[in-house]
Amino acid sequence: MSKLEQTEYDLAVVGGGPGGYVAAIRAAQLGMKTVLIEKDQLGGVCLNWGCIPTKALLRSADVLRLVREASRFGVQAGVPQADLQAMVARSRAVAAELNRGVGYLMKKNKVTVINGTARLAGRGRLAIERKDGDGQSHVRAKHIILATGARARVLPGLVPDGESVWSYREALVPRQAPRRLLVIGAGAIGIEFASFYLALGAEVSVVEMADRILPVEDEDISAHVAKALRKDGMHLYTGSRIVSADKRPLGAGHEWHVSLGGKHQETLVADVVLVAAGIVGNVEKLGLEGSAVKVERTHIVTDAFGATGEPGVYAIGDVAGPPWLAHKASHEGVACVEKIAGLHPHPLEASSIAACTYSHPQVASVGMTEAAARQAGRRIRVGKFPFSVNGKAIALGATDGFAKVVFDESSGELLGAHMVGEEVTEMIQGYAIARQLESTEAELMATVFPHPTQSEVMHEAVLAAYQRTLHI
Ligand SMILES: Cc1cc2nc3c(=O)[nH]c(=O)nc-3n(C[C@H](O)[C@H](O)[C@H](O)COP(=O)(O)OP(=O)(O)OC[C@H]3O[C@@H](n4cnc5c(N)ncnc54)[C@H](O)[C@@H]3O)c2cc1C
């Protein structure tokens, strides 16, 4: 029996994404003997194929845009050229750096890392197909956290091939930029890639079944982003579904003819189709069959701290259901481990998790939309304030967008906050903290926001909800 098999761990974590590796770190901090099994790359989708490499590419698009507009700022920079392969190389280098960083953190925290594919094999046992050439081994652990993440949903007839059908993976490492790109799905991932390829000069169309893009965002935000993207030349087909998709020969290659049903009954032609139509949890081949772990619609069912129906087995992050966000996965990992350790963590309050979309313009929000608050029967006060009259935004040349807040009229509770504009993803946390601290409008009004900053718009939006704006 190997040393690994002789050891009984306090905790085994399956999956080294932001859910799993953060859970492992917290467990180690709490003195648990911890093993983490990862079949691919430490950092999971987030660091390697999601949050981070997309933001690196989008940064390149921002630089391109800024140089294109340089003369507005009194800088003559000539006509910039997009070097897609250099952008991709930078994005991969950024991902690799962070992947190494997670390896370092595992060592620092004395977490044993096994490169292999794990599945449940009886109570307190995992069977591992090793990738490091050591065949199969078993790990024993008092507690097991499943943090296996999720993958892109595949649509029938549109299986990613790396050539003319992409999922987010292929979209991150394209051989060349498509001339005509059709994106299916106008959620955060679809809109971010659409934004990137639009900046590179592609003709971009986006098809969305819901009646608006970014359908989980506040309606005013969706409408503003749609207007901005259309102004930049993007074609948006909302309220429409894919009826058929035919790949037809074109010269030495192919093109796709995609027919739509619903609001826009037309046929779109594209060189590349990017499918960003949702994700499914990685619940297969985990040995769940013989266990009491329950799966609903590809996600493992858990309580507020990740416990499944099977004693000693927990699930966190994307595999445990929406919202599919890295910070939600990490936070669940910490709460789950603290609960296992007998501490008293707060359950995660889903409505206080901020969500960000790094399109151009950016979108960030936390809590209820105006429509959701009304549907919930709340009597509300709504405040809105634009960046167009904010001193810092004018100085930056970034006057597009606004902040919108929704308060409960009787209690003054901040029910939701929604922002669109430059770097709003860096600002939303102010409202998230306010929600976490259960701040009311009075506390937000009494908070001193530094000048000149774009964040002053956040203050003014609160004032606007009570007809007290100062600068408009
Ligand atoms: C293009 C894109 C952009 C995104 N942008 C953002 C963003 O800006 N902000 C944000 O918050 N979220 C973003 N996300 C979502 C974010 O990446 C996920 O929510 C996050 O990665 C979930 O973390 P996780 O730990 O649950 O799973 P993952 O990151 O998916 O990690 C799961 C890990 O488990 C491993 N694994 C699976 N099965 C096994 C097994 N049987 N044995 C061993 N290992 C296994 C996998 O190899 C993987 O490494 C984005 C996603 C995509 C695709």
Side-chain angles (χ1 to χ4, degrees):
M1 202 194 262
S2 69
K3 196 173 160 223
L4 180 73
E5 300 197 340
Q6 281 166 19
T7 312
E8 187 182 28
Y9 288 90
D10 295 314
L11 176 68
V13 181
V14 181
Y21 86 75
V22 169
I25 292 174
R26 185 69 187 123
Q29 286 174 348
L30 292 170
M32 294 187 204
K33 198 167 180 53
T34 305
V35 59
L36 183 145
I37 304 106
E38 168 55 54
K39 68 175 182 181
D40 193 1
Q41 289 169 293
L42 287 175
V45 169
C46 167
L47 264 56
N48 298 290
W49 297 103
C51 323
I52 298 295
T54 49
K55 272 72 232 183
L57 287 183
L58 287 158
R59 171 75 173 150
S60 292
D62 284 344
V63 173
L64 187 61
R65 232 179 260 112
L66 199 57
V67 179
R68 273 184 193 143
E69 295 175 3
S71 61
R72 273 211 300 141
F73 301 89
V75 177
Q76 301 309 326
V79 180
Q81 297 292 316
D83 180 344
L84 178 62
Q85 290 317 318
M87 291 178 181
V88 170
R90 178 176 177 277
S91 162
R92 297 323 302 159
V94 169
E97 181 179 338
L98 286 156
N99 164 264
R100 284 193 299 276
V102 177
Y104 160 78
L105 290 172
M106 294 299 98
K107 278 205 185 84
K108 182 185 157 208
N109 287 284
K110 301 194 173 43
V111 174
T112 304
V113 175
I114 300 174
N115 186 210
T117 305
R119 64 180 164 78
L120 299 178
R123 188 151 288 185
R125 259 167 78 87
L126 288 169
I128 301 165
E129 211 58 59
R130 306 278 293 247
K131 286 209 164 159
D132 45 16
D134 275 2
Q136 208 193 53
S137 44
H138 287 87
V139 158
R140 288 184 298 130
K142 292 190 187 85
H143 305 277
I144 295 171
I145 294 182
L146 302 173
T148 53
R151 59 185 185 278
R153 184 186 301 281
V154 174
L155 298 183
L158 286 167
V159 179
D161 59 7
E163 297 285 338
S164 64
V165 183
W166 292 352
S167 73
Y168 61 83
R169 283 225 177 199
E170 291 78 20
L172 279 164
V173 285
R175 287 198 203 118
Q176 58 191 46
R179 193 166 60 80
R180 298 164 299 178
L181 175 68
L182 173 61
V183 180
I184 302 178
I189 294 175
I191 288 295
E192 285 185 8
F193 280 115
S195 245
F196 174 70
Y197 284 103
L198 185 75
L200 258 56
E203 186 188 319
V204 179
S205 305
V206 181
V207 179
E208 167 60 50
M209 259 174 35
D211 62 357
R212 58 199 174 92
I213 65 163
L214 299 175
V216 299
E217 298 294 344
D218 188 272
E219 284 177 23
D220 285 349
I221 300 283
S222 292
H224 187 94
V225 179
K227 197 169 161 201
L229 294 177
R230 283 202 171 105
K231 193 167 150 236
D232 286 347
M234 198 182 288
H235 308 290
L236 303 176
Y237 300 87
T238 51
S240 304
R241 64 194 150 72
I242 310 295
V243 174
S244 66
D246 301 323
K247 192 177 177 181
R248 299 190 188 163
L250 174 73
H254 292 93
E255 65 180 11
W256 282 92
H257 288 239
V258 178
S259 301
L260 308 185
K263 201 164 118 196
H264 299 273
Q265 306 212 345
E266 30 190 306
T267 298
L268 308 178
V269 183
D271 308 305
V272 172
V273 177
L274 165 55
V275 181
I279 65 164
V280 290
N282 293 326
V283 290
E284 302 83 0
K285 297 186 189 153
L286 284 180
L288 302 183
E289 306 74 29
S291 76
V293 175
K294 212 170 137 201
V295 174
E296 253 173 31
R297 294 205 291 166
T298 85
H299 294 106
I300 295 176
V301 179
T302 68
D303 73 4
F305 296 103
T308 68
E310 178 73 24
V313 178
Y314 311 79
I316 58 165
D318 279 6
V319 76
W324 298 289
L325 294 167
H327 40 292
K328 174 259 192 188
S330 299
H331 209 89
E332 278 184 349
V334 169
C336 177
V337 165
E338 291 185 349
K339 188 77 177 171
I340 290 171
L343 305 182
H344 302 285
H346 290 288
L348 196 62
E349 174 56 63
S351 69
S352 291
I353 304 173
C356 299
T357 303
Y358 298 75
S359 46
H360 183 77
Q362 289 187 355
V363 170
S365 62
V366 63
M368 282 178 156
T369 62
E370 179 179 347
R374 289 193 195 285
Q375 265 162 28
R378 309 290 283 251
R379 290 188 53 200
I380 56 174
R381 272 179 178 265
V382 177
K384 242 170 121 172
F385 199 85
F387 284 108
S388 58
V389 294
N390 169 268
K392 177 75 180 294
I394 294 170
L396 290 179
T399 50
D400 183 36
F402 59 87
K404 172 176 176 177
V405 285
V406 182
F407 286 100
D408 182 89
E409 188 166 61
S410 52
S411 66
E413 180 192 353
L414 177 65
L415 297 174
H418 310 275
M419 301 179 79
V420 55
E422 185 131 324
E423 291 305 324
V424 292
T425 54
E426 291 296 334
M427 284 180 257
I428 194 68
Q429 193 58 10
Y431 286 136
I433 293 171
R435 267 192 61 75
Q436 182 69 20
L437 299 180
E438 299 178 5
S439 307
T440 63
E441 91 291 353
E443 285 138 346
L444 280 159
M445 284 182 193
T447 303
V448 182
F449 285 71
H451 176 78
T453 63
Q454 291 151 282
S455 73
E456 288 168 282
V457 164
M458 298 168 69
H459 193 220
E460 290 276 12
V462 174
L463 295 174
Y466 293 84
Q467 283 79 49
R468 282 184 47 183
T469 49
L470 297 167
H471 290 92
I472 207 161

